[in-house]
Amino acid sequence: MMLVQRLVEYAREHSTSKPFHREREFSWELALSSTGKKPRLDECRDADEARKGRGQRHLTPAVTRTVGVAPQMGADDVQYVLGWGDEGTKPARVQDCHQQFVDLINRWAEESAGECPEAEVVRDFYARGGVAEVQRPDEIGAKQGVLISVDGVRIITLDALTWFWEAEVARRKTGGTTGLCLVCGRDGVLAETVPGNLSKRLVPGAANNPALISVNERVFGYQLTTGLHHTPICLACGDAMNTALTELLSGPHTLGAAQQDSVMTWWTLGDAPKDFFNIMPGKPDPAAVNRVLERLRGGQPLLVADSVRSQAAEGRFCSVTLGGNSSRVVIRDWIDMPLSEVMANLAGWYDDHEIATVWDEYPVHYPLWQLERATGRWDKDRKAYRDFRDTANGQPEHVHRDLIGAVLRHKPLPASMPRHVVQRITNDGTVDGPRAALLRFALQRHPRKDTDMPPGLDEQRTDPAYIAGRAFAVYEAIQLASVDSRNPSRNEPDGAGESGNGRKKLNATFKDRHFSGAVSNPRPALTAASKLAPGWLGVIRRSKWSGLAFTLEGKLSAVLALADEIPGRLNPKQQAEFILGYHHQHAHDAQQRRERRAQRGDSDAA
């Protein structure tokens, strides 16, 4: 019940929606007139949306509708408003839907008692058989939405309709039972079923519009009963719960991606420091992240000003990660913790995945979506990761919630995550900043963590796997420098990881031939490289960069001297260390090239 209570609190603080309304899509508008003009059925799609087959979205009266016939007020499907079916509907059911919609309009007009002329216009339209006067478009479907307007005013906006609808929902959903609500702790009219649901477009995996709480079959209820008799929730709280969750999932504080099994939305109760919003992992502000990290590393409070600290001490962070299963919501994670604790966890997240790259002068941090995309397949032709919407992108469907849990709860990644990233790297040979950041984060939170893995090169680290990765990177740089040295127009070899403009095209580089196998067993690759390296260095010595051969040879000797022997088979943790050693060495070499070019004043210092 704590989740429901937090949602109701949010709705009461922030929501301005009318009770028992939800947003849905409409493609048509039935235009009626009080002056006797012929009714029209107009298409109300926006031009851009019409090309995509979509209609306009409007907030309309609505309650949960499962398999039974239950008309909504003032706007509904074609089969309800106009009584038109299609190939996928049964004529008897369509007739029943239409008749119940007309009966609802008649009761509204009767209860308005002449105070709402629009209600009388709509009632008279149906009473005289006005549907027969409406020309039916060829492309219309029974499940498409229809709005009703009178003299250009859509009746869903009328206060008289809203008041009638509130009473109608209470009649349908309560049965007149009163009692203590478990959510607000007050006596009120209790709901037999929750008076609303969520749009399936907001919930990954939902086949229909799902409900957060539903006991519509005996198998789901306590003592094989249906309804909310054993979970008393008042009608107002039931509506507020759905309103809050709909607004949150539709708002900016939502993290999710296509082809994932869940979406996360978050909110705060009480005042939050400005940096908190700027360092959430969706699109973090680098300056805010650096400010928080400086305070974390300096032992300073993460909530800066005393006034803000005192306010945030009472503030709380709430988030819910959910997915869908047919018509039900699956709660995959629920967080309710102090803002100060979440700030510390976020700071730890950025501290643990910070990584040096080939392209950046300083270590960088990544938004969540970039790390999620890096778990997918690399498209060698496009030189980019496959899109989230690509069903063949190869991302685990749970990667989003695994990362969210690690970020907000300060947890380690599941063991399957770094193994999956290593597999992707060995399959396509691409090691970039996001993938290296994921592996570093996994090692920083590893249960058997021996020492810290720094963001950039650790020249004193003696882990055999890390040294083997560094050695592989140096051997690769030696081979590519030997290729570059054959081009007299070049100012300096680009080295591995850079563009290599003017480099002679190789059928297969040392990395192409050996990297995939070296990740799990570096000994054969490094043994082969030790035999090839003298020839590569000889080519460099005979070029105008003869001094570079001495530098590279010294670098290789220094790296190999750190390890007693070349390791053989590597376990999953060591495989991640090998890849990070390889990545760190290339990032370090790229930084050295930038510094040399800056000293020379080269325009291409990058």
Side-chain angles (χ1 to χ4, degrees):
M1 274 298 157
M2 183 58 72
L3 168 59
V4 178
Q5 288 175 350
R6 294 304 193 201
L7 288 170
V8 171
E9 288 178 42
Y10 176 88
R12 288 174 179 164
E13 288 184 15
H14 303 283
S15 178
T16 58
S17 297
K18 295 179 179 179
F20 314 116
H21 281 59
R22 72 173 175 86
E23 191 181 70
R24 61 167 297 183
E25 184 178 304
F26 293 91
S27 301
W28 306 95
E29 180 174 333
L30 176 62
L32 307 179
S33 172
S34 61
T35 60
K37 291 182 180 179
K38 185 178 180 179
R40 303 187 319 273
L41 185 64
D42 300 326
E43 190 172 15
C44 63
R45 298 172 180 171
D46 296 329
D48 291 340
E49 297 300 320
R51 286 193 291 269
K52 303 174 187 176
R54 300 172 184 164
Q56 295 179 354
R57 303 197 69 83
H58 293 278
L59 196 66
T60 63
V63 292
T64 303
R65 181 164 65 195
T66 53
V67 294
V69 175
Q72 316 289 20
M73 190 65 216
D76 211 325
D77 296 344
V78 166
Q79 60 183 340
Y80 279 91
V81 178
L82 296 168
W84 295 342
D86 55 25
E87 296 178 354
T89 58
K90 298 178 180 179
R93 179 181 171 86
V94 172
Q95 183 60 35
D96 189 18
C97 291
H98 181 59
Q99 186 58 53
Q100 290 200 33
F101 182 83
V102 173
D103 291 343
L104 186 63
I105 292 292
N106 290 337
R107 285 195 285 111
W108 174 42
E110 291 172 5
E111 294 190 18
S112 297
E115 295 181 1
C116 183
E118 291 86 357
E120 296 179 7
V121 172
V122 182
R123 178 190 61 186
D124 294 344
F125 165 78
Y126 286 115
R128 72 170 188 269
V131 173
E133 304 173 23
V134 180
Q135 184 176 358
R136 176 171 180 167
D138 295 335
E139 69 275 19
I140 198 167
K143 298 293 182 68
Q144 292 178 338
V146 182
L147 297 162
I148 299 177
S149 65
V150 175
D151 297 333
V153 177
R154 288 170 176 162
I155 63 174
I156 58 173
T157 64
L158 300 174
D159 290 338
L161 184 142
T162 301
W163 298 332
F164 173 81
W165 181 241
E166 289 184 35
E168 173 66 14
V169 172
R171 184 185 68 82
R172 292 187 192 181
K173 296 293 183 179
T174 65
T177 305
T178 60
L180 182 68
C181 173
L182 289 182
V183 179
C184 63
R186 294 191 288 263
D187 286 327
V189 178
L190 300 179
E192 289 188 343
T193 60
V194 174
N197 50 21
L198 303 173
S199 173
K200 64 181 180 181
R201 69 185 177 85
L202 299 175
V203 183
N208 302 298
N209 292 334
L212 183 62
I213 299 175
S214 177
V215 191
N216 61 352
E217 297 290 345
R218 294 177 60 194
V219 68
F220 302 123
Y222 179 69
Q223 293 184 338
L224 297 179
T225 59
T226 59
L228 301 179
H229 307 294
H230 300 287
T231 312
I233 300 174
C234 71
L235 200 61
C237 287
D239 179 60
M241 169 188 72
N242 281 314
T243 299
L245 200 49
T246 297
E247 290 186 4
L248 287 166
L249 290 171
S250 305
H253 296 166
T254 300
L255 297 175
Q259 309 301 331
Q260 289 290 291
D261 66 357
S262 58
V263 63
M264 187 274 271
T265 186
W266 60 273
W267 65 101
T268 60
L269 299 172
D271 295 325
K274 180 181 178 181
D275 277 348
F276 175 78
F277 296 95
N278 292 333
I279 66 171
M280 281 298 288
K283 294 181 179 179
D285 175 25
V289 171
N290 288 331
R291 283 195 300 270
V292 171
L293 287 175
E294 286 173 7
R295 295 198 294 272
L296 176 73
R297 293 163 183 167
Q300 302 172 28
L302 293 177
L303 304 176
V304 191
D306 290 339
S307 59
V308 174
R309 249 195 331 272
S310 62
Q311 293 168 4
E314 301 300 326
R316 298 194 69 80
F317 170 86
C318 301
S319 78
V320 59
T321 302
L322 50 84
N325 182 3
S326 186
S327 296
R328 281 175 167 75
V329 172
V330 180
I331 304 298
R332 303 195 185 277
D333 195 14
W334 156 240
I335 295 176
D336 180 0
M337 65 174 66
L339 274 169
S340 56
E341 185 176 343
V342 177
M343 282 284 285
N345 291 348
L346 287 170
W349 153 252
Y350 289 110
D351 203 31
D352 286 345
H353 91 263
E354 184 178 51
I355 196 74
T357 76
V358 170
W359 303 106
D360 300 287
E361 186 175 357
Y362 300 104
V364 298
H365 312 94
Y366 292 100
L368 209 62
W369 67 268
Q370 254 182 298
L371 299 176
E372 291 170 5
R373 180 168 287 186
T375 64
R377 289 191 171 91
W378 176 263
D379 190 325
K380 293 183 179 179
D381 295 330
R382 294 176 51 246
K383 298 187 185 310
Y385 291 107
R386 293 195 179 186
D387 190 81
F388 285 120
R389 289 177 288 275
D390 187 342
T391 55
N393 65 9
Q395 292 167 324
E397 65 173 2
H398 50 77
V399 63
H400 173 75
R401 57 185 167 97
D402 287 344
L403 283 172
I404 283 291
V407 172
L408 298 178
R409 293 186 179 276
H410 198 76
K411 297 194 309 183
L413 289 175
S416 60
M417 175 79 74
R419 291 184 183 183
H420 174 83
V421 174
V422 169
Q423 182 185 35
R424 282 276 160 257
I425 289 172
T426 56
N427 285 346
D428 57 41
T430 299
V431 185
D432 60 0
R435 283 181 170 177
L438 281 171
L439 293 181
R440 179 180 176 242
F441 181 78
L443 291 176
Q444 286 293 89
R445 301 275 177 97
H446 196 279
R448 297 195 307 275
K449 175 182 171 183
D450 302 321
T451 58
D452 283 340
M453 176 62 73
L457 183 65
D458 183 352
E459 296 183 281
Q460 305 304 316
R461 196 179 189 92
T462 58
D463 295 337
Y466 186 81
I467 298 306
R470 289 186 62 192
F472 192 101
V474 176
Y475 278 126
E476 181 186 3
I478 293 173
Q479 186 206 25
L480 296 181
S482 72
V483 175
D484 289 343
S485 66
R486 297 170 187 171
N487 185 345
S489 65
R490 300 183 63 84
N491 294 324
E492 180 183 7
D494 278 314
E498 295 198 48
S499 59
N501 293 327
R503 175 180 294 156
K504 179 181 177 181
K505 179 68 175 177
L506 296 177
N507 292 330
T509 66
F510 171 67
K511 179 187 175 185
D512 295 336
R513 295 181 185 277
H514 296 284
F515 185 76
S516 178
V519 171
S520 58
N521 185 358
R523 186 175 294 160
L526 296 185
T527 301
S530 66
K531 298 176 181 178
L532 295 170
W536 297 333
L537 290 168
V539 172
I540 301 172
R541 287 192 186 96
R542 293 190 293 273
S543 72
K544 65 178 181 178
W545 301 322
S546 57
L548 178 62
F550 176 79
T551 301
L552 290 171
E553 193 171 20
K555 181 183 295 185
L556 178 63
S557 299
V559 170
L560 294 177
L562 293 171
D564 295 333
E565 61 178 354
I566 300 173
R569 290 288 174 183
L570 304 180
N571 61 38
K573 178 174 178 287
Q574 292 171 321
Q575 291 175 19
E577 291 172 347
F578 175 91
I579 293 171
L580 280 172
Y582 171 85
H583 175 82
H584 282 169
Q585 186 65 55
H586 277 319
H588 177 73
D589 293 347
Q591 179 62 22
Q592 288 185 320
R593 286 192 294 274
R594 279 191 291 270
E595 291 172 358
R596 288 197 301 270
R597 292 172 181 175
Q599 290 174 359
R600 295 198 308 262
D602 287 4
S603 60
D604 62 342

